[in-house]
């Protein structure tokens, strides 16, 4: 699993690099966000994948589609969110990414639905680790104090 750090971010809920995640302590649905970032950070550890993400818009799209569908699956499973509504929000967010220039929200949603089974399997295989991120780190630290 990637190293995970928590610090306030000016933009977005989290960032990832190969093997590393930085989460904003105020990220909503932190386990869902963390799962998406975890998938992407682990995926980038493979040198072939890392090079493809660095040089291929298509490869970045595929990684983002899978990562965001993983987030949907966790939001549904652990937080009780409705899949269609959450997926629509994620697809809307992805329309702003440069990799999706020219893609409609409906096209992104369809691509995410196409990854639904694979994403659900990934979540199932990693569920115990994902559950550790159910609460924001700041709240967990305060509860221990």
């Amino acid at each position: 699993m990637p190293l995970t750090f928590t610090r306030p971010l000016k933009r977005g809920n989290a960032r990832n690099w190969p093997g590393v995640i930085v989460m904003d302590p105020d990220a909503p649905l932190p386990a869902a966000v963390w799962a998406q970032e975890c998938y992407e950070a682990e995926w980038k550890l493979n040198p072939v994948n890392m090079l493809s993400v660095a040089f291929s818009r298509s490869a970045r799209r595929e990684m983002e589609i899978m990562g965001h569908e993983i987030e949907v699956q966790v939001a549904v499973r652990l937080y009780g969110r409705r899949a269609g509504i959450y997926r629509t929000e994620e697809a809307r967010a992805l329309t702003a990414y440069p990799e999706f220039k020219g893609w409609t929200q409906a096209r992104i949603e369809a691509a995410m639905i196409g990854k639904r089974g694979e994403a659900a399997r990934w979540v199932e295989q990693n569920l115990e680790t994902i559950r550790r991120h159910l609460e924001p780190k700041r709240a967990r630290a305060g509860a221990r104090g």
Side-chain angles (χ1 to χ4, degrees):
M1 290 289 132
L3 293 172
T4 303
F5 301 95
T6 304
R7 71 176 175 91
L9 298 173
K10 291 182 182 184
R11 277 193 34 203
N13 297 317
R15 301 274 183 271
N16 73 73
W17 296 269
V20 178
I21 298 169
V22 176
M23 293 277 301
D24 190 296
D26 296 325
L29 310 184
V33 172
W34 183 86
Q36 178 225 325
E37 300 296 339
C38 176
Y39 170 80
E40 294 175 7
E42 286 185 336
W43 197 82
K44 292 174 185 175
L45 284 172
N46 176 314
V48 172
N49 292 345
M50 184 60 191
L51 285 173
S52 67
V53 165
F55 297 106
S56 169
R57 183 176 285 215
S58 174
R60 287 190 303 274
R61 267 194 309 265
E62 286 299 311
M63 180 191 70
E64 293 291 350
I65 288 166
M66 180 65 171
H68 284 263
E69 182 58 28
I70 284 169
E71 182 175 340
V72 170
Q73 296 296 315
V74 174
V76 169
R77 185 162 182 168
L78 298 183
Y79 296 99
R81 296 303 197 265
R82 293 182 58 197
I85 293 169
Y86 201 90
R87 187 177 292 112
T88 295
E89 293 169 359
E90 290 300 299
R92 185 178 310 123
L94 286 173
T95 62
Y97 286 39
E99 296 82 6
F100 292 95
K101 185 176 182 178
W103 281 51
T104 64
Q105 182 176 321
R107 183 177 178 191
I108 296 169
E109 282 185 66
M112 289 173 71
I113 289 168
K115 293 292 187 180
R116 186 173 41 202
E118 186 180 349
R121 284 187 296 279
W122 188 92
V123 169
E124 184 62 34
Q125 291 169 353
N126 295 284
L127 191 56
E128 289 310 309
T129 304
I130 294 167
R131 284 184 192 277
R132 292 184 206 139
H133 297 275
L134 273 169
E135 297 177 26
K137 187 160 185 136
R138 180 182 295 156
R140 286 195 313 256
R144 289 185 199 144

